[in-house]
Amino acid sequence: GGDIMTVNLVPLLQKAQNGDEEPLLELFFSFEPSIINHSRRYSKQVNKDCYQELAAQFIVAVQSFDIDKYLKE
């Protein structure tokens, strides 16, 4: 299993994958600081295109995350 933070994400992931927007947003906002960091890697400003791309990829990753496989490890 993962660390405490990751373990707590599993119920949120399951709800988000069932189409519930609230847990999806909760997941997103808990990861947003690192998304912003990556969006600012090359300048002081947040690169909006980069931010949107990372946000979209994050949502795809949440929806396609294989929880069962993760829990078996």
Side-chain angles (χ1 to χ4, degrees):
D3 53 38
I4 288 299
M5 187 185 163
T6 334
V7 170
N8 290 339
L9 293 179
V10 169
L12 284 175
L13 280 165
Q14 288 169 323
K15 288 181 188 152
Q17 289 182 350
N18 289 333
D20 195 339
E21 256 177 45
E22 208 150 293
L24 181 60
L25 287 172
E26 202 174 318
L27 284 165
F28 180 75
F29 287 122
S30 61
F31 283 96
E32 196 187 29
S34 50
I35 289 176
I36 288 172
N37 281 343
H38 286 291
S39 306
R40 284 165 52 168
R41 184 174 287 172
Y42 303 109
S43 72
K44 297 259 182 279
Q45 299 294 308
V46 169
N47 179 324
K48 284 198 180 75
D49 291 336
C50 185
Y51 176 88
Q52 286 176 334
E53 184 61 34
L54 288 168
Q57 286 180 5
F58 177 82
I59 290 167
V60 169
V62 166
Q63 289 169 340
S64 60
F65 186 80
D66 190 339
I67 295 169
D68 295 332
K69 186 177 168 202
Y70 170 78
L71 290 176
K72 282 189 187 112
E73 284 178 9

